[in-house]
């Protein structure tokens, strides 16, 4: 029987990156400022209340040489993303406590250049229009492919 990861993502490999969740991976982030020439310098946060999705997205991005920060608690993600600037935040639309739209709105007030990629298993024209109107650069529906994620990040 195939795992959920192999059905949704194809082959998944274990890599090391910083995680706020239990993905059992260690950080390889390179700290620094200046012109972003290395993918490791692109600050990416992944926010979803489903830990499996967060870990799978993290593995896909790690495989593409990024070092994402992972959050399953939207309140923690809001605190982190309003304290330091992320280049890209990939967030679920519907989460307890802080929705993806609220996260987008509050972060954009402080860091207007942060790009948001909204993901959802409950797509609607209304939520897509609202997300794009508030500044999301992409609106993707689950299930996602690794190629789709990488294409929207790059």
């Amino acid at each position: 029987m195939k795992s959920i990861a192999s059905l949704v993502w194809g082959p998944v490999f274990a890599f090391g990156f910083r995680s706020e969740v239990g993905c059992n991976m260690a950080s390889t982030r390179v700290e620094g400022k200046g012109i972003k020439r290395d993918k490791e310098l692109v600050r990416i946060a992944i926010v979803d209340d489903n830990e499996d999705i967060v870990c799978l997205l993290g593995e896909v991005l790690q495989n593409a040489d990024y070092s994402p920060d992972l959050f399953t608690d939207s309140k923690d993600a809001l605190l982190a993303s309003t304290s330091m600037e992320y280049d890209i935040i990939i967030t679920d639309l519907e989460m307890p406590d802080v929705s993806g739209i609220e996260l987008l709105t509050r972060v954009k007030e402080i860091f207007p250049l942060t790009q948001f990629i909204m993901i959802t298993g409950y797509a609607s024209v209304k939520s897509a229009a609202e997300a794009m109107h508030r500044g999301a650069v992409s609106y993707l529906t689950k299930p996602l492919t690794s190629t789709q994620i990488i294409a929207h990040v790059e």
Side-chain angles (χ1 to χ4, degrees):
M1 180 173 183
K2 289 188 174 185
S3 70
I4 292 174
S6 65
L7 293 172
V8 175
W9 299 101
V12 176
F13 305 96
F15 295 94
F17 59 89
R18 196 183 102 158
S19 174
E20 301 297 327
V21 296
C23 295
N24 197 25
M25 298 175 208
S27 178
T28 58
R29 175 175 299 290
V30 176
E31 297 297 333
K33 290 197 170 209
I35 299 171
K36 292 178 178 74
R37 294 192 175 125
D38 296 322
K39 290 180 179 181
E40 290 179 337
L41 297 179
V42 177
R43 296 188 75 76
I44 300 175
I46 300 170
V47 186
D48 195 308
D49 57 327
N50 182 324
E51 186 172 329
D52 292 336
I53 297 292
V54 171
C55 290
L56 289 170
L57 288 172
E59 289 175 8
V60 166
L61 290 176
Q62 183 65 28
N63 190 33
D65 298 324
Y66 293 98
S67 296
D69 292 340
L70 310 178
F71 299 91
T72 56
D73 186 313
S74 57
K75 292 182 294 186
D76 290 344
L78 178 61
L79 180 62
S81 59
T82 55
S83 301
M84 77 174 168
E85 186 172 12
Y86 282 98
D87 298 298
I88 301 169
I89 297 177
I90 301 169
T91 184
D92 190 18
L93 184 65
E94 294 187 23
M95 298 177 290
D97 300 319
V98 180
S99 72
I101 294 291
E102 183 179 353
L103 181 65
L104 180 154
T105 302
R106 294 186 54 191
V107 170
K108 286 278 196 182
E109 290 172 354
I110 300 167
F111 300 115
L113 298 180
T114 298
Q115 296 182 9
F116 274 79
I117 298 172
M118 305 299 287
I119 59 175
T120 185
Y122 306 97
S124 72
V125 172
K126 181 181 177 183
S127 66
E130 182 177 9
M132 301 307 275
H133 175 73
R134 292 183 185 248
V137 296
S138 297
Y139 181 96
L140 307 174
T141 57
K142 297 175 187 175
L144 305 162
T145 66
S146 56
T147 305
Q148 193 178 23
I149 291 298
I150 298 303
H152 284 270
V153 167
E154 294 182 344

